[in-house]
Amino acid sequence: MGHNSFGSAFTITTFGESHGEGLGVIIDGVESGFKLDTQAIQAEMARRRPGGNPLGTERDEKDQLVILSGMYEGLTTGTPLAMVLYNTNQRPYDYSNLKDVFRPGHADWSFYKKFGVRDIRGGGRSSGRETSARVAAGAVAKQILAQHGIRIFAGTVQVGSVVATKRNWDECDNALTCPDKEASLAMASLIEEVRLDQDSIGGIIECRITGLPPGLGEPVFGKLQALLSHAVMSIGAIKGIQFGDGFSCATMRGSAFNDQRTSEGFLSNHSGGILGGISSGQEVILQAAVRPTASIGKSQKTVDKENVTKDLVIEGRHDPCICPRAVVVVEAMVAITLLDLWYTAYGRQR
Amino acid sequence: MGHNSFGSAFTITTFGESHGEGLGVIIDGVESGFKLDTQAIQAEMARRRPGGNPLGTERDEKDQLVILSGMYEGLTTGTPLAMVLYNTNQRPYDYSNLKDVFRPGHADWSFYKKFGVRDIRGGGRSSGRETSARVAAGAVAKQILAQHGIRIFAGTVQVGSVVATKRNWDECDNALTCPDKEASLAMASLIEEVRLDQDSIGGIIECRITGLPPGLGEPVFGKLQALLSHAVMSIGAIKGIQFGDGFSCATMRGSAFNDQRTSEGFLSNHSGGILGGISSGQEVILQAAVRPTASIGKSQKTVDKENVTKDLVIEGRHDPCICPRAVVVVEAMVAITLLDLWYTAYGRQR
Amino acid sequence: MGHNSFGSAFTITTFGESHGEGLGVIIDGVESGFKLDTQAIQAEMARRRPGGNPLGTERDEKDQLVILSGMYEGLTTGTPLAMVLYNTNQRPYDYSNLKDVFRPGHADWSFYKKFGVRDIRGGGRSSGRETSARVAAGAVAKQILAQHGIRIFAGTVQVGSVVATKRNWDECDNALTCPDKEASLAMASLIEEVRLDQDSIGGIIECRITGLPPGLGEPVFGKLQALLSHAVMSIGAIKGIQFGDGFSCATMRGSAFNDQRTSEGFLSNHSGGILGGISSGQEVILQAAVRPTASIGKSQKTVDKENVTKDLVIEGRHDPCICPRAVVVVEAMVAITLLDLWYTAYGRQR
Amino acid sequence: MGHNSFGSAFTITTFGESHGEGLGVIIDGVESGFKLDTQAIQAEMARRRPGGNPLGTERDEKDQLVILSGMYEGLTTGTPLAMVLYNTNQRPYDYSNLKDVFRPGHADWSFYKKFGVRDIRGGGRSSGRETSARVAAGAVAKQILAQHGIRIFAGTVQVGSVVATKRNWDECDNALTCPDKEASLAMASLIEEVRLDQDSIGGIIECRITGLPPGLGEPVFGKLQALLSHAVMSIGAIKGIQFGDGFSCATMRGSAFNDQRTSEGFLSNHSGGILGGISSGQEVILQAAVRPTASIGKSQKTVDKENVTKDLVIEGRHDPCICPRAVVVVEAMVAITLLDLWYTAYGRQR
């Protein structure tokens, strides 16, 4: 299977470049007869789109999805669901200054080394815009999972050194989807400060899955944490992932880390809801490290195709912190992974 | 593809339970005509086997591999390489006390919930012994990669709060494969202390890949970090993974994180050798968080199949810290992933 | 992987219904830097489209492909090639008479039983129009294979009881792509006769591959004939496939069937260019049996959703024989299969 | 996925050479808690093994399966089922005369061209003995399918020009599993005649599936006939496959071929139980063309590695007709394909 596909029982295949004709996703394996809420999908798209977030880039893209196939009279038909996002309102950016240089922190260098050619317009296939196709697919997966009581929600829990200490998931209707209202204000201030400084800043996104029954995940290479890691780590900006106590486990003893159980239930959740790669029935908790946005206004050293050193200043409006917009992408990849495992276990036909 | 397989161009399929007849691996996609060094494979097995490490369990298992197919007169034939490890010297443990209870931190609970039945003998398929098949396959992959100048080596860089500050990879011939001789002594002391306390301790393993040319990794779901995360996170004891600066990137600014470049080469390696999911030609660096061993001698709360609370004491000799033996497993999964990407890019036929 | 995808190293994923918004294909695994001849692709589309053939339906569909991604400045970029065909000129057919009945010989019955819902407009996903996406992908594969000297060509060699006895492949510029000019005239007459009779007729398509080097095909489940059979038998109208002497081998002796060889080369080609599932370097020859078109003007018995017997007359203009238009579909599936095996063997990166 | 694996939800991976240490199969995706009848598996092995059939080779191989994993206390555990057949009683054949020549009709030439090396002992991986692993896996699939009322049975319906005209499936307890007792006697005579003539003969195997509910098969590349064709055509000796009326459809009109339906059910079964690639609920019928055995005692022309023409006489005892032993292999591949589709549709977890 090509590496632009993900999943085996519920498979998404994405395509498209940032500034080409359009991008989108083909979803293969959707159950038939499901009443799809297309407005809810569009609402998810809005969470990711540029201009949809006060802390993000000022570029405004509508991200209007068009469904080409797989539905009839409001119901899924069981055939591939094709969803496309046309790059209609692309302004004629002048990319000529980027034509022969490799932007630091971007995929420019490695794409050129791998493919020999590269689409210089806005990063082409390596642009973050590629994730919009994942959000569309994730929105479908979420709806189907919801009917089984499974809910996925993520939020920003760290930006720079501002750390959210609370987990009030009902109060995260802020630009960062941060479950700690006070921390979210400090995060927003920090992001504005960084923006004015022509720089960017990293952060951490936390994602939780509730309502997941025990028994999802497939030994030994389809362990729940392995597939979720594949899914989340395939998002360009993510540099690390951890489950439950994660890297903290390095300093813990087994007697503290093991989740003991009594007839009342588990006494703790250090493992993050996964035992032996299979969901335990507890809440699944994971965190992803988000690197600072690669595009910054400061001057940087780079080289051109002839390997001559250049000083590069990247123009344009960029997200000083990608967390606000990446939250929904993490949710999407988690949802896609879970529905894949669900269909693997229970099938999609009745 | 079943979830006991991993890889697409170089595919491993593992099987076997801890105390069944045997376990092993089928490798599909090995190039033909390669002179396989079977002693080198056996040497890798020795790095993982119980009793092979002074800091590990005192159980002594020979782990003698038998090759059933895929070789003729010392050369690979291009057909599946089948390698089996027979569970010959299994002592007749008495598992009856574990028959109806679920060991905390183990897969017992989730396997039972998923499959309805479970092999109670030593954890069955969820035993760490399963990783021996990966080590065998990884040893094959390493040899093939080596002819292209690609080298993979891992070591323990943290146990509890003892952190290795040096990276003297030439001096890590200690029980922990730790690149900091002094730290390795403190780690060993800590592990002994924990052992005497009937407890266990976690740690961090670092893995490096040198000699990797630019251009390996496949956008967008086959990003190098995504596949390596899938591979490494499928090892039972691993709870987190990070590349380059990893979780530290959360507090960094783009101007500090971006790896700038001059005609002399890259000025830093915060990204860990991967740009846009494709190798950049720099050293690839990743770290994996290792949880404290689940089996401990201390009494723990658990339940039986009738959900009655029980106090459980696990008998037997266990590894107080799994890092020493997990190092080679991490290397193996990394090697398998890289060779898969190599064959995807360049094929396996001349 | 979902079953709307085909191939592993060169993967196509198709989507779309006959009368939905559009249909198309995502090709994952195209090598980068290839100068794609888009006019040649469009010319292949013309070979399949309704109205493109004097012996076919009189419906005229333009089948204008739009490339959404994967190309930049005329070259492939190595990222997914997305090609879409919009269903622009669909006339507002009245399908209400087909809404509750199942057309004999069509997928109506089985789709309804499987999915519970079905897109009644023109057969939906089960329409022959689905194959246009395959033709587009096949046209890309053909161009890439051509640079390695591999050529694929198919033609009609039987319609009803009219059998082509010659194989003048240079003279098959007739509506049936038949390599026997005289037979092609008799075939055309028969098809017209059948059309006037409101009926349809079956036939046989032969496909040949020249320039294929020895060594393509993967034991044991990726045998060249196995993958080609999967590919060709996935075309809706095909009911059988055979290689070389095919079903005739049932009456042959080994001494007659075996292709002996001298220093001058093979003395015969009964096996059809494949030995042990691997190309031998000889011409590959296969034949596919094409069923008579399911849609006919004659009255037929069927049932409705309430299982009440109905007499059904299908209105509209249909192909009395699908061979003329299926020829290019067979070629396309063969080309896709070969390029997949080529990349598996030799990779797609230099 | 490697090409020594088949299936996606129920995946088999086979390995092993004719005269290596052993061969076998790993089955990934078996449901847990299934009470496996190992004697029934062994009985299927006996149907295929050399010496198991009076019309076959006189070589006698026990083909005793050993189950290495995936079972506990008689039940499947849901983990990979590994079954191995050791090549214990291999007599020290002298293959030196075959070392440098390529046997006509065998894979010798193409394997050598593809892999550069080849295991000359008995054909290595390309030996028909490879199919024993399929029979073992098929025997497992059959048992699981049987609990859903699905039954698969095949028989020889043609040998040379002797054609079975009856379909008395209850009376095929003859060496050919032929459903026409009289024809079976003529077939047996012909096979003996051919054997005495140091030659071999081809035939046709028919396979039927009863009890298959409507709804199995996945549009568009996972059509039931496409997957079954892939499965059956991957058996070395098969040169063609057809469903229902098969190649006869070339001469039929749509009005005769379409299976009409009334409230009483379908009026015919020309399509062979498949509509649009999905089972219709009718009996599925397919036929496979079996080539005459490649190994014959007559002198044949061939070349050696230096391309010098040689006269080759193959010693040893071979099957003059492979149909008797291939019947169970066809059944096995059909069963494996059906269970894969069953799990895809309905899952394997409750």
Side-chain angles (χ1 to χ4, degrees):
Chain A
M1 184 173 60
H3 283 298
N4 290 285
S5 294
F6 185 77
S8 52
F10 176 82
T11 314
I12 68 167
T13 300
T14 72
F15 64 90
E17 280 79 44
S18 166
H19 287 64
E21 291 298 309
L23 39 77
V25 62
I26 313 301
I27 315 181
D28 193 2
V30 182
E31 62 191 59
S32 63
F34 184 80
K35 187 170 181 151
L36 205 58
D37 181 344
T38 54
Q39 283 191 307
I41 302 176
Q42 197 58 50
E44 290 283 271
M45 299 302 289
R47 291 177 64 194
R48 197 215 67 90
R49 80 176 172 88
N53 196 297
L55 296 176
T57 171
E58 293 157 30
R59 280 182 290 124
D60 195 0
E61 294 165 13
K62 282 282 167 287
D63 283 5
Q64 182 65 44
L65 267 184
V66 176
I67 297 181
L68 293 182
S69 67
M71 288 188 72
Y72 183 61
E73 297 184 340
L75 299 180
T76 58
T77 55
T79 60
L81 198 63
M83 300 191 287
V84 181
L85 205 62
Y86 295 99
N87 291 328
T88 44
N89 297 330
Q90 298 300 349
R91 280 178 301 172
Y93 279 135
D94 181 8
Y95 289 103
S96 54
N97 68 319
L98 296 176
K99 199 178 155 212
D100 295 317
V101 298
F102 306 104
R103 293 168 300 164
H106 276 279
D108 298 6
W109 168 265
S110 54
F111 260 66
Y112 183 66
K113 287 288 176 181
K114 183 180 185 71
F115 296 116
V117 295
R118 69 183 173 100
D119 182 342
I120 60 158
R121 301 166 302 172
R125 182 71 176 149
S126 68
S127 163
R129 184 158 169 72
E130 167 262 320
T131 60
S132 59
R134 307 178 184 218
V135 171
V140 172
K142 273 182 188 174
Q143 290 183 34
I144 297 175
L145 290 166
Q147 68 181 349
H148 301 295
I150 301 168
R151 209 181 136 223
I152 298 150
F153 49 96
T156 307
V157 297
Q158 185 172 342
V159 172
S161 47
V162 182
V163 179
T165 52
K166 296 173 193 157
R167 290 297 183 271
N168 297 324
W169 293 105
D170 295 334
E171 298 178 13
C172 52
D173 57 341
N174 49 67
L176 284 144
T177 325
C178 173
D180 179 336
K181 197 173 277 185
E182 279 172 74
S184 80
L185 298 173
M187 288 173 184
S189 297
L190 175 56
I191 291 173
E192 282 310 312
E193 180 194 322
V194 165
R195 183 206 300 271
L196 291 173
D197 198 24
Q198 305 284 327
D199 214 336
S200 64
I201 186 83
I204 293 178
I205 289 172
E206 183 171 296
C207 182
R208 291 176 176 239
I209 309 164
T210 60
L212 195 67
L216 281 204
E218 298 289 330
V220 292
F221 300 111
K223 287 196 175 85
L224 188 47
Q225 71 270 32
L227 295 184
L228 287 173
S229 293
H230 186 163
V232 172
M233 293 297 294
S234 76
I235 304 169
I238 310 292
K239 298 300 289 182
I241 190 169
Q242 57 186 3
F243 291 80
D245 288 357
F247 276 86
S248 303
C249 75
T251 58
M252 292 173 76
R253 296 205 170 192
S255 53
F257 188 87
N258 284 348
D259 298 312
Q260 299 182 46
R261 188 179 172 97
T262 69
S263 53
E264 308 287 303
F266 285 106
L267 302 178
S268 57
N269 188 9
H270 298 290
S271 73
I274 306 174
L275 289 171
I278 300 169
S279 61
S280 67
Q282 290 190 282
E283 189 177 33
V284 172
I285 306 168
L286 67 89
Q287 290 189 326
V290 181
R291 54 156 291 165
T293 319
S295 288
I296 57 174
K298 284 188 190 304
S299 174
Q300 298 177 92
K301 293 282 177 206
T302 189
V303 294
D304 64 12
K305 286 185 184 174
E306 271 67 47
N307 200 33
V308 177
T309 306
K310 298 277 180 179
D311 288 302
L312 176 70
V313 173
I314 301 174
E315 310 273 326
R317 298 161 299 169
H318 303 282
D319 295 276
C321 178
I322 203 67
C323 285
R325 291 174 60 200
V327 161
V328 67
V329 182
V330 170
E331 288 179 4
M333 290 309 300
V334 168
I336 289 161
T337 306
L338 293 179
L339 187 54
D340 183 45
L341 285 168
W342 184 275
Y343 283 151
T344 297
Y346 303 112
R348 60 174 177 262
Q349 205 161 319
R350 287 114 205 235
Chain B
M1 185 172 58
H3 283 296
N4 290 284
S5 295
F6 185 77
S8 53
F10 176 82
T11 314
I12 68 167
T13 300
T14 73
F15 64 90
E17 280 80 44
S18 167
H19 287 65
E21 291 298 310
L23 40 77
V25 61
I26 313 302
I27 315 182
D28 193 2
V30 182
E31 62 192 59
S32 63
F34 184 81
K35 187 169 180 151
L36 206 58
D37 182 344
T38 54
Q39 284 190 306
I41 301 174
Q42 196 59 50
E44 290 283 272
M45 299 302 290
R47 291 177 64 194
R48 198 216 67 90
R49 80 178 173 88
N53 196 296
L55 296 175
T57 171
E58 294 157 29
R59 280 180 291 124
D60 195 1
E61 293 164 16
K62 281 284 166 286
D63 283 6
Q64 183 65 44
L65 267 184
V66 176
I67 296 182
L68 293 182
S69 67
M71 288 188 72
Y72 182 62
E73 297 184 342
L75 299 179
T76 58
T77 55
T79 60
L81 198 63
M83 300 191 287
V84 180
L85 205 62
Y86 294 100
N87 292 327
T88 45
N89 296 330
Q90 299 299 349
R91 281 179 299 174
Y93 280 134
D94 181 7
Y95 289 102
S96 54
N97 68 319
L98 296 177
K99 201 179 154 214
D100 294 318
V101 298
F102 306 104
R103 293 169 300 165
H106 276 280
D108 298 6
W109 168 265
S110 54
F111 260 67
Y112 184 67
K113 286 290 175 180
K114 183 180 186 70
F115 296 115
V117 295
R118 69 184 173 100
D119 182 343
I120 61 156
R121 303 165 301 171
R125 182 71 176 148
S126 67
S127 164
R129 185 159 168 73
E130 167 262 320
T131 60
S132 59
R134 307 178 184 217
V135 171
V140 172
K142 272 182 189 174
Q143 290 183 35
I144 298 174
L145 289 167
Q147 69 180 350
H148 301 296
I150 301 168
R151 211 183 134 223
I152 298 150
F153 48 95
T156 307
V157 297
Q158 185 172 341
V159 172
S161 47
V162 182
V163 179
T165 53
K166 296 174 193 156
R167 291 295 184 273
N168 296 325
W169 292 105
D170 295 334
E171 299 178 14
C172 52
D173 58 340
N174 50 66
L176 284 143
T177 324
C178 174
D180 180 335
K181 197 172 276 184
E182 280 171 74
S184 79
L185 298 173
M187 289 173 183
S189 298
L190 175 57
I191 291 173
E192 281 311 312
E193 180 194 321
V194 165
R195 184 205 299 271
L196 292 173
D197 199 24
Q198 305 286 325
D199 213 336
S200 63
I201 186 82
I204 292 178
I205 288 173
E206 184 170 296
C207 183
R208 290 176 177 239
I209 309 164
T210 59
L212 194 67
L216 281 204
E218 299 288 332
V220 293
F221 300 112
K223 287 196 174 85
L224 187 48
Q225 70 271 32
L227 295 184
L228 287 172
S229 294
H230 185 162
V232 172
M233 293 297 295
S234 76
I235 304 169
I238 309 293
K239 298 301 288 183
I241 190 168
Q242 58 185 2
F243 292 80
D245 288 356
F247 275 87
S248 303
C249 75
T251 59
M252 292 173 76
R253 294 204 172 193
S255 53
F257 188 87
N258 284 347
D259 297 311
Q260 300 183 45
R261 188 179 173 97
T262 69
S263 51
E264 308 288 301
F266 285 106
L267 302 178
S268 57
N269 188 8
H270 298 289
S271 73
I274 305 173
L275 289 171
I278 301 169
S279 62
S280 67
Q282 290 190 281
E283 189 177 33
V284 172
I285 307 167
L286 67 88
Q287 289 189 326
V290 181
R291 55 157 290 166
T293 319
S295 287
I296 56 174
K298 285 189 189 305
S299 174
Q300 299 176 91
K301 293 281 177 207
T302 190
V303 293
D304 64 11
K305 285 186 185 175
E306 271 68 46
N307 200 32
V308 178
T309 307
K310 299 278 178 180
D311 287 301
L312 176 71
V313 172
I314 301 172
E315 311 273 328
R317 297 160 301 167
H318 302 283
D319 295 278
C321 178
I322 203 69
C323 285
R325 291 173 60 201
V327 161
V328 67
V329 183
V330 169
E331 288 178 3
M333 291 310 298
V334 168
I336 290 161
T337 306
L338 292 180
L339 187 54
D340 183 46
L341 285 168
W342 184 276
Y343 283 152
T344 297
Y346 303 113
R348 61 173 177 261
Q349 205 162 317
R350 287 115 204 234
Chain C
M1 184 172 58
H3 283 296
N4 290 284
S5 295
F6 185 78
S8 54
F10 176 82
T11 314
I12 69 166
T13 300
T14 72
F15 63 91
E17 279 79 44
S18 167
H19 287 64
E21 291 297 312
L23 39 77
V25 61
I26 313 301
I27 315 182
D28 194 3
V30 182
E31 62 191 60
S32 62
F34 184 80
K35 186 168 181 151
L36 205 59
D37 181 344
T38 53
Q39 284 190 306
I41 301 175
Q42 196 60 51
E44 290 283 271
M45 299 302 290
R47 292 177 64 196
R48 197 215 67 91
R49 79 176 174 88
N53 197 298
L55 296 175
T57 171
E58 293 157 30
R59 279 181 291 123
D60 195 0
E61 292 165 15
K62 280 283 166 288
D63 283 5
Q64 182 65 44
L65 267 185
V66 176
I67 297 182
L68 292 182
S69 67
M71 288 189 73
Y72 183 62
E73 297 184 340
L75 299 179
T76 58
T77 56
T79 59
L81 199 62
M83 300 191 286
V84 181
L85 205 61
Y86 296 99
N87 291 327
T88 44
N89 297 330
Q90 298 299 350
R91 279 179 302 172
Y93 280 134
D94 181 7
Y95 290 103
S96 54
N97 67 318
L98 297 176
K99 201 179 155 211
D100 294 317
V101 298
F102 306 105
R103 294 169 298 166
H106 276 280
D108 299 6
W109 168 265
S110 54
F111 260 66
Y112 183 66
K113 286 290 176 180
K114 182 180 186 70
F115 295 117
V117 294
R118 68 183 173 101
D119 182 342
I120 60 158
R121 302 166 302 171
R125 182 71 177 150
S126 68
S127 163
R129 186 159 168 72
E130 168 262 319
T131 60
S132 59
R134 308 177 183 218
V135 171
V140 172
K142 272 182 188 174
Q143 290 184 34
I144 298 174
L145 290 166
Q147 68 180 349
H148 301 296
I150 301 167
R151 208 180 138 223
I152 298 149
F153 49 96
T156 306
V157 296
Q158 184 171 342
V159 172
S161 47
V162 183
V163 179
T165 53
K166 297 174 192 156
R167 290 296 184 271
N168 297 324
W169 292 105
D170 296 333
E171 298 179 14
C172 52
D173 57 340
N174 50 67
L176 283 145
T177 325
C178 173
D180 180 335
K181 198 172 276 185
E182 279 171 75
S184 79
L185 298 173
M187 289 173 183
S189 297
L190 175 57
I191 292 173
E192 282 311 312
E193 178 194 323
V194 165
R195 184 206 299 272
L196 291 173
D197 198 24
Q198 304 285 327
D199 213 336
S200 63
I201 186 84
I204 293 179
I205 289 173
E206 183 171 296
C207 181
R208 291 177 176 239
I209 309 164
T210 59
L212 195 67
L216 281 203
E218 300 288 330
V220 292
F221 300 112
K223 286 196 176 83
L224 187 47
Q225 70 271 33
L227 296 184
L228 287 173
S229 293
H230 185 162
V232 172
M233 292 297 294
S234 76
I235 304 169
I238 310 292
K239 298 301 290 183
I241 189 169
Q242 57 186 2
F243 292 80
D245 287 357
F247 275 86
S248 303
C249 75
T251 57
M252 292 173 76
R253 296 205 171 192
S255 53
F257 188 86
N258 284 347
D259 297 312
Q260 300 183 44
R261 189 180 172 96
T262 70
S263 53
E264 308 286 301
F266 286 105
L267 301 178
S268 57
N269 188 9
H270 298 289
S271 72
I274 305 174
L275 289 171
I278 301 170
S279 62
S280 67
Q282 289 189 283
E283 189 177 33
V284 172
I285 306 168
L286 66 89
Q287 289 190 327
V290 181
R291 54 157 290 165
T293 318
S295 287
I296 55 173
K298 284 189 190 304
S299 175
Q300 297 176 92
K301 293 281 177 207
T302 188
V303 293
D304 64 12
K305 287 186 184 173
E306 271 68 46
N307 201 32
V308 177
T309 306
K310 299 277 178 180
D311 288 301
L312 176 70
V313 172
I314 301 174
E315 311 272 327
R317 299 160 300 167
H318 303 282
D319 295 277
C321 177
I322 204 67
C323 286
R325 291 174 60 200
V327 161
V328 68
V329 183
V330 169
E331 288 179 3
M333 291 310 298
V334 168
I336 290 162
T337 306
L338 292 179
L339 187 54
D340 183 45
L341 285 168
W342 184 276
Y343 283 151
T344 297
Y346 303 113
R348 60 174 177 261
Q349 205 162 316
R350 287 114 203 232
Chain D
M1 184 173 58
H3 283 297
N4 291 284
S5 295
F6 186 77
S8 53
F10 176 82
T11 314
I12 69 166
T13 300
T14 72
F15 63 91
E17 279 80 44
S18 167
H19 286 65
E21 291 299 311
L23 40 78
V25 61
I26 314 301
I27 315 182
D28 193 2
V30 183
E31 62 191 61
S32 62
F34 183 80
K35 187 168 181 150
L36 206 58
D37 181 344
T38 55
Q39 284 191 306
I41 302 175
Q42 197 59 51
E44 289 283 271
M45 299 301 290
R47 293 177 63 195
R48 197 215 67 90
R49 80 177 173 88
N53 196 298
L55 296 175
T57 171
E58 293 158 30
R59 282 180 289 125
D60 196 359
E61 294 164 14
K62 281 282 166 289
D63 283 5
Q64 182 66 43
L65 267 184
V66 176
I67 297 182
L68 293 182
S69 67
M71 287 189 72
Y72 183 63
E73 296 183 342
L75 299 179
T76 58
T77 56
T79 60
L81 198 63
M83 301 191 287
V84 180
L85 205 61
Y86 294 100
N87 291 327
T88 45
N89 296 332
Q90 298 299 348
R91 281 178 300 173
Y93 279 135
D94 182 7
Y95 290 103
S96 54
N97 68 319
L98 296 176
K99 200 179 156 212
D100 295 316
V101 298
F102 306 104
R103 294 169 298 165
H106 276 279
D108 298 7
W109 167 265
S110 53
F111 261 66
Y112 183 66
K113 287 288 176 181
K114 182 181 185 71
F115 295 118
V117 295
R118 69 183 173 100
D119 183 342
I120 60 158
R121 302 165 302 171
R125 181 71 176 149
S126 68
S127 163
R129 186 158 167 73
E130 167 261 320
T131 60
S132 60
R134 307 177 184 216
V135 171
V140 172
K142 272 183 190 175
Q143 290 183 34
I144 298 174
L145 289 167
Q147 69 181 348
H148 301 297
I150 301 167
R151 207 181 138 225
I152 298 148
F153 49 96
T156 307
V157 296
Q158 184 172 341
V159 172
S161 48
V162 182
V163 179
T165 52
K166 297 175 192 155
R167 291 295 183 273
N168 296 324
W169 292 105
D170 296 333
E171 298 179 15
C172 51
D173 57 341
N174 50 68
L176 283 144
T177 325
C178 173
D180 180 335
K181 197 173 276 186
E182 280 172 74
S184 79
L185 298 174
M187 289 174 185
S189 298
L190 174 57
I191 291 173
E192 281 311 312
E193 178 194 323
V194 165
R195 184 207 300 271
L196 292 173
D197 198 24
Q198 305 286 324
D199 214 335
S200 63
I201 186 83
I204 293 178
I205 289 173
E206 184 171 296
C207 182
R208 291 176 177 239
I209 309 163
T210 59
L212 194 67
L216 279 203
E218 299 288 331
V220 293
F221 300 111
K223 288 196 174 84
L224 187 48
Q225 72 271 33
L227 296 184
L228 287 172
S229 293
H230 185 164
V232 171
M233 292 296 294
S234 76
I235 304 169
I238 309 292
K239 298 300 290 182
I241 190 169
Q242 58 186 3
F243 292 80
D245 288 356
F247 275 86
S248 304
C249 75
T251 57
M252 292 173 75
R253 295 206 172 191
S255 53
F257 188 87
N258 284 347
D259 297 311
Q260 300 183 43
R261 188 178 172 97
T262 68
S263 52
E264 307 288 302
F266 285 106
L267 302 179
S268 57
N269 187 9
H270 298 289
S271 73
I274 305 175
L275 289 172
I278 302 170
S279 62
S280 67
Q282 288 189 283
E283 190 177 33
V284 172
I285 306 168
L286 66 89
Q287 289 189 328
V290 181
R291 53 157 290 163
T293 318
S295 288
I296 56 174
K298 285 188 190 302
S299 175
Q300 300 177 91
K301 294 281 178 208
T302 189
V303 294
D304 64 11
K305 286 186 185 174
E306 272 66 47
N307 201 34
V308 177
T309 306
K310 299 275 179 183
D311 287 302
L312 176 71
V313 171
I314 302 174
E315 311 271 328
R317 300 160 298 170
H318 303 282
D319 296 277
C321 179
I322 204 67
C323 286
R325 291 174 60 200
V327 161
V328 68
V329 183
V330 170
E331 288 179 3
M333 290 309 299
V334 168
I336 289 161
T337 305
L338 292 180
L339 187 54
D340 183 44
L341 284 168
W342 184 276
Y343 284 153
T344 297
Y346 302 113
R348 61 173 176 262
Q349 206 162 316
R350 285 114 205 231

